[in-house]
Amino acid sequence: MSPQMRLRAITLDCADPLALAAFYEQATGLEPHPKSDADFAGLNCEDELFIGFQRVDDYRAPSWPDQTVPQQFHFDFAVDDLDEAEARLLELGASKPDYQPNEDRWRVLTDPAGHPFCLVKG
């Protein structure tokens, strides 16, 4: 029998962990980890999943949609209203790339560190 594995954490590279954690805290309402600092910050999810943000010297943001610097991964967040969620996240510091593959079904945004993420109806 193979060992049971549970996903516990997802960690994103970035230049400023506290700033990126603050963006996602405001966007999701997740609680900041009490030991967050300038090198590693995190958010606690109710289901025990941890989202971490680690400082990387000379961090290069992903370039999307071209893959000069690959995106490596992205989050999908379900929202009730795409327009409302997009407007709120843009106010928090997200950006919206010009290229949108299917704007009626989902929106591609980038966080303040350049990581792409999607808003999906749901």
Side-chain angles (χ1 to χ4, degrees):
M1 182 177 222
S2 61
Q4 290 291 321
M5 295 181 5
R6 292 185 310 146
L7 181 61
R8 292 295 299 239
I10 298 169
T11 301
L12 287 71
D13 292 347
C14 61
D16 186 342
L18 290 172
L20 194 55
F23 169 80
Y24 280 105
E25 177 187 352
Q26 292 176 49
T28 64
L30 296 174
E31 294 294 320
H33 190 279
K35 293 185 179 178
S36 293
D37 62 31
D39 288 321
F40 192 91
L43 298 174
N44 296 316
C45 303
E46 290 180 15
D47 61 1
E48 297 184 16
L49 181 65
F50 178 84
I51 302 174
F53 309 93
Q54 67 184 3
R55 188 177 63 76
V56 172
D57 292 332
D58 301 320
Y59 170 75
R60 290 179 41 202
S63 55
W64 192 87
D66 89 47
Q67 295 294 305
T68 306
V69 179
Q71 67 179 337
Q72 302 160 8
F73 83 99
H74 71 271
F75 288 122
D76 285 350
F77 294 101
V79 298
D80 293 328
D81 184 301
L82 288 172
D83 293 330
E84 183 179 302
E86 176 186 317
R88 180 173 170 266
L89 289 160
L90 292 172
E91 287 176 6
L92 292 176
S95 297
K96 183 177 179 182
D98 291 334
Y99 177 67
Q100 296 291 318
N102 191 341
E103 207 164 7
D104 292 335
R105 294 188 57 206
W106 65 81
R107 307 284 166 80
V108 179
L109 301 178
T110 56
D111 67 25
H115 303 107
F117 65 93
C118 293
L119 303 176
V120 297
K121 286 184 180 180

